[in-house]
Amino acid sequence: MQWQPSATIPQLRHRALVLGQIRGFFRDRSLLEVDTPVMSHCGVSDPHVDSIPVAFTPDGAPTSQTMWLMSSPEYAMKRLLAAGSGSIFQIAKAFRNGEVGRRHNPEFTLLEWYRVGFDLASLMQEVAELVDRVLEPRLGQQQWHYWSYRTAFEHILKLDPHTATDAQLQACALSHIDIQLHESTPRDTWLDLLMSHCIEPALPQACFIYDYPASQAALARLGVDAQGTRVARRFEAYINGVELANGYHELTDAQEQRQRFLADNNIRKSLSKSEMVADQRFIEALQSGLPDCSGVALGIERLLMLALGETDIAKVTAFNHPRA
């Protein structure tokens, strides 16, 4: 058992420097810094994210109630947007169950911000400017590429991910990846495998991928691309093949959000996971009126790993999970 930090003191000083750079970046753009709870009555419904439950017992109560450590401040920040906050940012602690490794820690730091009136193109440009500011001392100015999801698959795998049949996706995955999965495996699982094993390693050094399949919308609104395909208005930013940020042109329709909560829980049941209670406060905030906005979450530790040339998240956080 070690009491010493997993990062060196110089690395922690650099971490503090980067956090100061980020706050200065948004101060110059007049965004309000906010602070929302890390513990909530509702966890997230995303089938691919497992919230960490905590037992809260009020003084004198005979039993405890289950609350959740938040995997993202998204719901609470959107409630602030609906209340009239204007464009906002937050540097927040976030928690995800089971995620431990060289790129993952169950407790990590997210930079999340929302821009009222921004479309995805404007937000991608701002993400690029922030990342360039932090990474330029080590990596220089990045040459950013902007590829649609379709472009990435066509360029790297010679396959249209929107029109390919399930059998074609499966055959392509099995020809590139040594894996055994049942033929009934969902289409999005095959797409995710191709993305992680084939697309991401072959991306340009700095790249945005946008216009994901509609089935992968999460909390993004839907639209139609130039080819007439229904797509999710979202993007992911990659540096050296590592996912750094995930952004949405935010969904504002409360009824559609209700339907997505239901769909998420159906998927959770199919994966033998517990259903999550829909966050009614979030739904009511959407009903009251969420302004047209785009938002993005960026992993601070991953940004620091790139800034410092590290390959292990332990080297950029004071105490990683084994030493917590």
Side-chain angles (χ1 to χ4, degrees), residues 149 153 161 169 187-196 213 216:
Y149 191 90
F153 271 77
L169 292 176
R187 178 183 181 87
D188 279 325
T189 299
W190 294 113
L191 287 171
D192 289 344
L193 285 168
L194 289 169
M195 174 61 78
S196 61
Q216 299 179 25

Side-chain angles (χ1 to χ4, degrees), residues 164-175:
T165 65
D166 291 2
Q168 287 174 321
L169 292 176
Q170 178 182 344
C172 184
L174 293 177
S175 71

